[in-house]
Amino acid sequence: MSEIGEALGKLLENEKAEVQCAAAVVIGELGLKDAQTRKMLCRALEKGGDSVKAYLIDALGRMGSADIVPQLLPHLGGPPMVRNKVIETITAIGPTALPALEAELAAKESAVRLGVLEVFGRMKGTGPATALLNSLFDEDAEVVKQATAVVKEKIEEMSAEERKKLGETVLKFMSGARVRKSKTVTVSCLRILGALKDPGMAGVLLEQTGRKVAPPIRAAALLALANIDYSQMKNHAPICRKLFPLLGEDDYADVVANALTVLWKLEIGKEHGKEMLKLLKGQHHAVRMFALKSLGSVGGKDAAAKLIAALVGDDHKMHEMAAS
């Protein structure tokens, strides 16, 4: 270490916070990156007050080495100014920081775990999918929410191949006993599958819409189905047949309404004419409206008769739907 480095190291131990801050700034500006200087900065970071830590973190960050990451991570639980500086610094270091970040997902403080997830979210690239999925088991609901959000955000940056790989990873993850026993984790996984918008996931999602499935999981599966892009799918009939029975259930908000959201995106073919005629007698007005609208594309004498009846009927909304 140079004489200047030694002098600055002593200033880092000064009792006055402003002197410590000035020393950290000078170290950063001089670009000192030797191991001894790094140790002095890390030692000062452990002892220093919150007003000094942001300057020390900045000086460490200028070294550009992933070796400093383990020393920075515990400070994600600090006050906003310190926390934000840590997130900014580690994000700038990039992918070489990933191993240390993954390890810190097991930290005791939820604030630290949340900070790690925020770094994952800011970093370029897809991130460690398995590690993020394991965060769905976190005891803190906010951590679970953040992990789900990060994965969904990453999907927007993914290539088609990366999305396919993530889908396979999620499906494998869902097959585990721990996931099958957890409604919360299953719901988060379904939300991620929906964000992929892959019609190939429709079958898996439909399996989670049965009457015996827990209500939160059913609702999540239906919402995920509503996110899928069906424009490239040629045959919508199998999905329609699975969803039609749901339209007769009592739970409108979580089941019927969500099933309708999916069905409005699908093509209702002539083979569904009988189902549409039955749905015209359904208990929910929105279902009857859907059936009436669909009859227009189904065609046939019976469909035409129902459309004419709606045109001359007293229900103004049905009248408008038939006319459209």
Coordinates of all heavy atoms in Angstrom, one line a residue, residues 5-75:
G5 N -2.3 5.8 0.5 CA -3.3 4.8 1.0 C -3.3 4.7 2.5 O -4.3 4.6 3.1
E6 N -2.1 4.6 3.1 CA -2.0 4.5 4.5 C -2.6 5.7 5.2 O -3.2 5.6 6.3 CB -0.5 4.3 4.9 CG 0.1 2.9 4.5 CD 1.5 2.7 4.9 OE1 2.0 3.7 5.6 OE2 2.1 1.7 4.6
A7 N -2.3 6.9 4.7 CA -2.8 8.1 5.3 C -4.3 8.2 5.2 O -5.0 8.5 6.2 CB -2.2 9.3 4.6
L8 N -4.8 7.7 4.1 CA -6.3 7.8 4.0 C -6.9 6.7 4.9 O -8.0 6.9 5.4 CB -6.7 7.5 2.5 CG -6.4 8.6 1.5 CD1 -6.5 8.1 0.1 CD2 -7.3 9.8 1.8
G9 N -6.2 5.6 5.1 CA -6.7 4.5 6.0 C -6.8 5.1 7.4 O -7.8 4.7 8.1
K10 N -5.9 5.9 7.8 CA -5.9 6.4 9.2 C -7.1 7.4 9.3 O -7.8 7.5 10.3 CB -4.6 7.1 9.5 CG -3.5 6.2 9.7 CD -2.2 6.9 10.0 CE -1.0 5.9 10.2 NZ 0.3 6.7 10.5
L11 N -7.4 8.2 8.2 CA -8.5 9.1 8.2 C -9.8 8.4 8.3 O -10.8 9.0 8.8 CB -8.4 10.0 6.9 CG -7.2 11.0 6.9 CD1 -7.3 11.7 5.5 CD2 -7.3 12.0 8.0
L12 N -9.9 7.2 7.8 CA -11.1 6.4 7.8 C -11.4 6.0 9.3 O -12.6 5.7 9.6 CB -11.0 5.1 7.0 CG -11.1 5.3 5.5 CD1 -10.8 3.9 4.8 CD2 -12.4 5.8 5.0
E13 N -10.4 6.1 10.1 CA -10.6 5.7 11.5 C -10.8 7.0 12.4 O -11.0 6.9 13.6 CB -9.4 5.0 12.1 CG -9.2 3.6 11.3 CD -7.9 2.9 11.7 OE1 -7.2 3.5 12.5 OE2 -7.7 1.8 11.3
N14 N -10.8 8.1 11.8 CA -11.0 9.4 12.5 C -12.4 9.4 13.2 O -13.4 8.8 12.6 CB -10.9 10.6 11.5 CG -10.8 11.9 12.3 OD1 -11.8 12.4 12.8 ND2 -9.6 12.4 12.3
E15 N -12.5 10.1 14.3 CA -13.8 10.1 15.0 C -14.8 10.9 14.3 O -16.0 10.7 14.5 CB -13.6 10.7 16.4 CG -12.7 9.8 17.3 CD -12.5 10.4 18.7 OE1 -13.0 11.5 18.9 OE2 -11.9 9.8 19.6
K16 N -14.4 11.9 13.5 CA -15.4 12.8 12.8 C -15.9 12.1 11.6 O -15.1 11.7 10.7 CB -14.7 14.1 12.5 CG -14.3 14.9 13.8 CD -13.7 16.2 13.4 CE -13.3 17.1 14.6 NZ -12.7 18.4 14.3
A17 N -17.2 12.1 11.4 CA -17.8 11.5 10.3 C -17.5 12.2 9.0 O -17.3 11.5 8.0 CB -19.4 11.5 10.5
E18 N -17.4 13.5 9.0 CA -17.1 14.3 7.8 C -15.7 14.0 7.3 O -15.4 14.0 6.1 CB -17.2 15.8 8.0 CG -16.4 16.4 9.1 CD -17.1 16.4 10.5 OE1 -17.9 15.6 10.7 OE2 -16.8 17.3 11.2
V19 N -14.7 13.6 8.2 CA -13.4 13.3 7.8 C -13.4 11.9 7.1 O -12.8 11.7 6.1 CB -12.4 13.3 9.0 CG1 -11.0 12.8 8.6 CG2 -12.3 14.7 9.6
Q20 N -14.2 11.0 7.7 CA -14.3 9.6 7.1 C -14.9 9.7 5.7 O -14.4 9.0 4.8 CB -15.1 8.8 8.0 CG -14.6 8.5 9.4 CD -15.5 7.7 10.3 OE1 -16.2 6.8 9.8 NE2 -15.6 8.1 11.6
C21 N -15.9 10.5 5.6 CA -16.6 10.7 4.3 C -15.6 11.2 3.3 O -15.6 10.7 2.1 CB -17.8 11.6 4.4 SG -19.2 11.0 5.4
A22 N -14.8 12.2 3.7 CA -13.9 12.8 2.7 C -12.8 11.8 2.3 O -12.5 11.7 1.1 CB -13.2 14.0 3.4
A23 N -12.4 11.0 3.3 CA -11.3 10.0 3.0 C -11.9 9.0 2.0 O -11.2 8.6 1.0 CB -10.9 9.3 4.2
A24 N -13.1 8.6 2.2 CA -13.8 7.6 1.3 C -13.9 8.1 -0.1 O -13.7 7.4 -1.1 CB -15.1 7.2 1.8
V25 N -14.3 9.4 -0.2 CA -14.4 10.1 -1.5 C -13.1 10.1 -2.3 O -13.0 9.8 -3.5 CB -15.0 11.5 -1.4 CG1 -14.9 12.3 -2.7 CG2 -16.4 11.4 -0.9
V26 N -12.0 10.5 -1.5 CA -10.7 10.6 -2.1 C -10.2 9.2 -2.6 O -9.7 9.1 -3.7 CB -9.7 11.2 -1.1 CG1 -8.3 11.1 -1.7 CG2 -10.1 12.6 -0.8
I27 N -10.5 8.2 -1.8 CA -10.1 6.8 -2.2 C -10.8 6.4 -3.5 O -10.2 5.9 -4.4 CB -10.5 5.8 -1.1 CG1 -9.5 6.0 0.1 CG2 -10.4 4.4 -1.6 CD1 -9.9 5.2 1.3
G28 N -12.0 6.8 -3.6 CA -12.8 6.5 -4.8 C -12.3 7.2 -6.0 O -12.1 6.7 -7.1
E29 N -12.0 8.5 -5.8 CA -11.5 9.3 -6.9 C -10.1 8.9 -7.4 O -9.8 9.0 -8.6 CB -11.5 10.8 -6.5 CG -12.9 11.4 -6.3 CD -13.7 11.5 -7.5 OE1 -13.1 11.6 -8.6 OE2 -14.9 11.3 -7.5
L30 N -9.3 8.5 -6.5 CA -8.0 8.1 -6.8 C -8.0 6.7 -7.5 O -7.0 6.3 -8.1 CB -7.1 8.0 -5.6 CG -6.7 9.4 -5.0 CD1 -5.9 9.2 -3.7 CD2 -5.9 10.2 -6.0
G31 N -9.1 6.0 -7.3 CA -9.2 4.6 -8.0 C -8.3 3.6 -7.3 O -7.8 2.7 -7.9
L32 N -8.1 3.7 -6.0 CA -7.3 2.7 -5.2 C -8.1 1.4 -5.1 O -9.2 1.4 -4.7 CB -7.0 3.3 -3.8 CG -6.2 4.6 -3.7 CD1 -6.0 5.0 -2.3 CD2 -4.9 4.5 -4.5
K33 N -7.5 0.3 -5.6 CA -8.2 -0.9 -5.6 C -7.5 -2.1 -5.0 O -7.9 -3.3 -5.1 CB -8.5 -1.3 -7.1 CG -9.4 -0.3 -7.8 CD -9.7 -0.7 -9.3 CE -10.6 0.3 -10.0 NZ -10.9 -0.1 -11.4
D34 N -6.4 -1.8 -4.3 CA -5.6 -2.9 -3.7 C -6.4 -3.6 -2.6 O -7.3 -3.0 -2.0 CB -4.3 -2.4 -3.2 CG -4.4 -1.3 -2.2 OD1 -4.6 -0.1 -2.6 OD2 -4.4 -1.6 -1.0
A35 N -6.0 -4.8 -2.2 CA -6.6 -5.6 -1.2 C -6.6 -4.9 0.1 O -7.6 -5.0 0.9 CB -6.0 -7.0 -1.1
Q36 N -5.5 -4.2 0.5 CA -5.4 -3.6 1.8 C -6.4 -2.5 1.9 O -7.1 -2.3 3.0 CB -4.0 -3.1 2.0 CG -3.7 -2.7 3.5 CD -3.8 -3.9 4.4 OE1 -3.5 -5.0 4.0 NE2 -4.3 -3.6 5.6
T37 N -6.6 -1.7 0.9 CA -7.6 -0.6 0.9 C -9.0 -1.1 1.0 O -9.8 -0.6 1.7 CB -7.4 0.3 -0.4 OG1 -6.1 0.8 -0.5 CG2 -8.4 1.4 -0.4
R38 N -9.2 -2.2 0.3 CA -10.6 -2.8 0.4 C -10.9 -3.3 1.8 O -12.0 -3.1 2.3 CB -10.7 -4.0 -0.6 CG -12.1 -4.6 -0.6 CD -12.3 -5.6 -1.8 NE -11.4 -6.8 -1.7 CZ -10.4 -7.1 -2.5 NH1 -10.2 -6.3 -3.6 NH2 -9.7 -8.2 -2.4
K39 N -9.9 -3.9 2.5 CA -10.1 -4.3 3.9 C -10.4 -3.1 4.8 O -11.2 -3.2 5.7 CB -8.8 -5.1 4.3 CG -8.7 -6.4 3.7 CD -7.4 -7.1 4.3 CE -7.3 -8.5 3.7 NZ -6.1 -9.2 4.2
M40 N -9.6 -2.0 4.5 CA -9.8 -0.8 5.4 C -11.2 -0.3 5.2 O -11.9 0.1 6.2 CB -8.8 0.2 5.0 CG -7.4 -0.1 5.5 SD -6.3 1.3 5.3 CE -6.5 1.8 3.7
L41 N -11.7 -0.2 4.0 CA -13.0 0.3 3.7 C -14.1 -0.6 4.3 O -15.1 -0.1 4.9 CB -13.3 0.4 2.2 CG -12.5 1.5 1.5 CD1 -12.6 1.3 0.0 CD2 -13.1 2.9 1.9
C42 N -13.9 -1.9 4.2 CA -14.9 -2.9 4.8 C -14.9 -2.8 6.3 O -16.0 -2.9 6.9 CB -14.5 -4.3 4.3 SG -14.9 -4.7 2.6
R43 N -13.8 -2.6 6.9 CA -13.7 -2.5 8.3 C -14.4 -1.2 8.8 O -15.2 -1.2 9.8 CB -12.2 -2.5 8.8 CG -12.1 -2.5 10.3 CD -10.6 -2.8 10.7 NE -9.6 -1.9 10.1 CZ -8.7 -2.3 9.2 NH1 -8.7 -3.6 8.8 NH2 -7.9 -1.4 8.8
A44 N -14.2 -0.1 8.0 CA -14.8 1.1 8.3 C -16.3 1.0 8.1 O -17.1 1.7 8.9 CB -14.3 2.3 7.4
L45 N -16.7 0.2 7.1 CA -18.2 0.1 6.9 C -18.9 -0.6 8.0 O -20.0 -0.3 8.4 CB -18.3 -0.8 5.6 CG -19.8 -1.0 5.1 CD1 -20.4 0.3 4.7 CD2 -19.8 -1.9 3.8
E46 N -18.2 -1.6 8.7 CA -18.8 -2.3 9.8 C -18.9 -1.4 11.0 O -19.8 -1.5 11.8 CB -17.9 -3.5 10.1 CG -17.9 -4.6 9.1 CD -19.3 -5.1 8.8 OE1 -20.1 -5.3 9.8 OE2 -19.7 -5.2 7.6
K47 N -18.0 -0.5 11.2 CA -17.9 0.4 12.4 C -18.6 1.7 12.2 O -19.1 2.4 13.1 CB -16.5 0.6 12.8 CG -15.7 -0.6 13.2 CD -14.3 -0.3 13.6 CE -13.5 -1.5 14.0 NZ -12.1 -1.1 14.4
G48 N -18.7 2.2 10.9 CA -19.2 3.6 10.6 C -20.6 3.8 10.8 O -21.4 2.8 10.9
G49 N -21.0 5.0 11.0 CA -22.4 5.4 11.2 C -23.1 5.5 9.8 O -22.4 5.4 8.8
D50 N -24.4 5.6 9.8 CA -25.2 5.6 8.6 C -24.8 6.7 7.7 O -24.9 6.6 6.4 CB -26.7 5.6 8.9 CG -27.2 4.3 9.6 OD1 -26.5 3.3 9.4 OD2 -28.2 4.4 10.3
S51 N -24.4 7.8 8.2 CA -24.1 9.0 7.4 C -22.8 8.8 6.6 O -22.6 9.5 5.6 CB -23.9 10.3 8.3 OG -22.9 10.1 9.2
V52 N -22.0 7.8 7.0 CA -20.7 7.6 6.4 C -20.8 6.4 5.4 O -20.1 6.3 4.4 CB -19.6 7.3 7.4 CG1 -18.3 7.0 6.7 CG2 -19.5 8.4 8.4
K53 N -21.7 5.5 5.7 CA -21.7 4.2 4.9 C -21.9 4.4 3.4 O -21.3 3.7 2.6 CB -22.8 3.3 5.5 CG -22.5 2.7 6.8 CD -23.6 1.8 7.4 CE -23.2 1.2 8.7 NZ -24.2 0.3 9.3
A54 N -22.8 5.3 3.0 CA -23.0 5.5 1.6 C -21.7 5.9 0.8 O -21.5 5.4 -0.3 CB -24.1 6.6 1.4
Y55 N -20.9 6.7 1.5 CA -19.6 7.1 0.9 C -18.6 5.9 0.8 O -17.9 5.7 -0.2 CB -19.0 8.2 1.7 CG -19.8 9.5 1.6 CD1 -20.7 9.8 2.6 CD2 -19.6 10.4 0.6 CE1 -21.5 10.9 2.6 CE2 -20.4 11.6 0.5 CZ -21.3 11.8 1.5 OH -22.1 13.0 1.5
L56 N -18.6 5.1 1.9 CA -17.8 3.9 1.9 C -18.2 2.9 0.8 O -17.4 2.3 0.1 CB -17.8 3.3 3.3 CG -17.2 4.1 4.4 CD1 -17.6 3.5 5.8 CD2 -15.7 4.2 4.3
I57 N -19.5 2.7 0.7 CA -20.0 1.8 -0.3 C -19.7 2.2 -1.7 O -19.3 1.4 -2.6 CB -21.6 1.6 -0.1 CG1 -21.9 0.9 1.2 CG2 -22.2 0.8 -1.3 CD1 -23.3 1.0 1.6
D58 N -19.8 3.5 -1.9 CA -19.4 4.1 -3.2 C -18.0 3.8 -3.6 O -17.7 3.4 -4.7 CB -19.7 5.6 -3.3 CG -19.5 6.2 -4.6 OD1 -20.3 5.9 -5.6 OD2 -18.5 7.0 -4.8
A59 N -17.1 4.0 -2.6 CA -15.7 3.8 -2.8 C -15.4 2.3 -3.1 O -14.6 2.0 -4.0 CB -14.9 4.2 -1.6
L60 N -16.1 1.4 -2.4 CA -16.0 0.0 -2.6 C -16.5 -0.4 -4.0 O -15.9 -1.2 -4.7 CB -16.7 -0.8 -1.6 CG -16.0 -0.9 -0.2 CD1 -17.0 -1.4 0.9 CD2 -14.8 -1.8 -0.3
G61 N -17.6 0.2 -4.4 CA -18.2 0.0 -5.7 C -17.3 0.3 -6.8 O -17.3 -0.3 -7.9
R62 N -16.5 1.4 -6.7 CA -15.6 1.8 -7.7 C -14.5 0.8 -8.0 O -13.9 0.9 -9.0 CB -15.0 3.2 -7.4 CG -16.0 4.3 -7.5 CD -15.4 5.6 -7.0 NE -16.3 6.7 -7.0 CZ -16.2 7.8 -7.8 NH1 -15.2 7.9 -8.6 NH2 -17.1 8.7 -7.8
M63 N -14.3 -0.1 -7.1 CA -13.3 -1.2 -7.3 C -13.8 -2.2 -8.3 O -13.0 -2.9 -8.9 CB -13.0 -1.9 -6.0 CG -12.3 -1.0 -5.0 SD -11.9 -1.9 -3.4 CE -11.0 -0.6 -2.6
G64 N -15.2 -2.2 -8.5 CA -15.7 -3.1 -9.5 C -15.6 -4.6 -9.4 O -15.6 -5.3 -10.3
S65 N -15.3 -5.0 -8.1 CA -15.1 -6.4 -7.9 C -16.2 -7.1 -7.1 O -16.8 -6.5 -6.2 CB -13.8 -6.6 -7.1 OG -13.6 -7.9 -6.6
A66 N -16.6 -8.3 -7.6 CA -17.6 -9.1 -6.9 C -17.2 -9.5 -5.5 O -18.0 -9.9 -4.7 CB -18.0 -10.3 -7.7
D67 N -15.9 -9.4 -5.2 CA -15.4 -9.8 -3.9 C -16.0 -9.0 -2.7 O -16.1 -9.4 -1.6 CB -13.9 -9.7 -3.8 CG -13.2 -10.7 -4.7 OD1 -13.9 -11.7 -5.1 OD2 -12.0 -10.5 -5.1
I68 N -16.5 -7.8 -3.1 CA -17.0 -6.9 -2.0 C -18.5 -7.2 -1.7 O -19.0 -6.7 -0.7 CB -16.8 -5.4 -2.4 CG1 -17.7 -5.1 -3.6 CG2 -15.4 -5.1 -2.7 CD1 -17.9 -3.6 -3.9
V69 N -19.1 -7.9 -2.6 CA -20.6 -8.1 -2.5 C -21.0 -8.7 -1.1 O -21.9 -8.2 -0.5 CB -21.1 -9.0 -3.6 CG1 -22.6 -9.3 -3.4 CG2 -20.9 -8.2 -4.9
P70 N -20.3 -9.8 -0.6 CA -20.7 -10.3 0.7 C -20.7 -9.3 1.8 O -21.5 -9.4 2.7 CB -19.7 -11.5 0.9 CG -19.3 -11.9 -0.5 CD -19.2 -10.6 -1.3
Q71 N -19.8 -8.4 1.7 CA -19.7 -7.3 2.8 C -20.8 -6.3 2.6 O -21.2 -5.7 3.6 CB -18.3 -6.6 2.7 CG -17.2 -7.4 3.3 CD -16.7 -8.6 2.4 OE1 -16.6 -8.4 1.2 NE2 -16.5 -9.7 3.0
L72 N -21.3 -6.1 1.4 CA -22.3 -5.1 1.2 C -23.7 -5.6 1.5 O -24.6 -4.9 2.0 CB -22.3 -4.6 -0.3 CG -21.0 -3.9 -0.8 CD1 -21.2 -3.5 -2.2 CD2 -20.7 -2.8 0.1
L73 N -24.0 -6.9 1.2 CA -25.3 -7.5 1.3 C -26.0 -7.2 2.7 O -27.2 -6.9 2.7 CB -25.3 -8.9 1.0 CG -25.1 -9.2 -0.5 CD1 -24.9 -10.7 -0.7 CD2 -26.3 -8.7 -1.3
P74 N -25.4 -7.4 3.8 CA -26.1 -7.2 5.1 C -26.6 -5.8 5.3 O -27.6 -5.6 6.0 CB -25.0 -7.5 6.1 CG -24.0 -8.4 5.4 CD -24.0 -7.9 4.0
H75 N -26.1 -4.9 4.5 CA -26.5 -3.5 4.6 C -27.7 -3.2 3.8 O -28.2 -2.0 3.8 CB -25.3 -2.5 4.3 CG -24.1 -2.7 5.1 ND1 -24.1 -2.1 6.4 CD2 -23.0 -3.4 5.0 CE1 -22.9 -2.4 7.0 NE2 -22.2 -3.2 6.1

